[in-house]
Amino acid sequence: SFAARFLQQTSTQSAFTLGINSSTTFTVTVTGAAVGASVIATPPSDPTHPAVSSSVRVTAADTVTVYVGYGATSGSGGFGAGDWQITVINKE
């Protein structure tokens, strides 16, 4: 059914700060997530610097990887601690 294509999971993450031109990743188990599905990751807060970016994808069956980067040439940036909301929309 239409609703069965939508999967949600929460992942609690500690606060983190990235230095100049650095990145980090974390994985979240989302049972039923299929490679090629659309994914939305909503962080627990606004980033601490506008140069912080994130992207997300299903990297293996049931596994979502969140990528976070800081691309500025000075300072640092990241996200505060809290729950990341992960929503997977599997293809029909």
Side-chain angles (χ1 to χ4, degrees), residues 2-3 13-14 16 20 22 26-27 30 32 37 44 58 60 74 76 82 84 86-87 90:
F2 181 78
Q13 299 294 318
S14 299
F16 60 89
I20 298 168
S22 64
F26 61 90
T27 60
V30 182
V58 179
S74 65
S76 61
W84 286 70
I86 309 297
T87 303
N90 281 323

Side-chain angles (χ1 to χ4, degrees), residues 29-59:
T29 299
V30 182
T31 302
V35 174
S38 297
V39 188
I40 301 165
T42 305
S45 63
D46 288 337
T48 60
H49 190 282
V52 175
S53 62
S54 64
S55 63
V56 61
R57 62 183 293 210
V58 179
T59 51

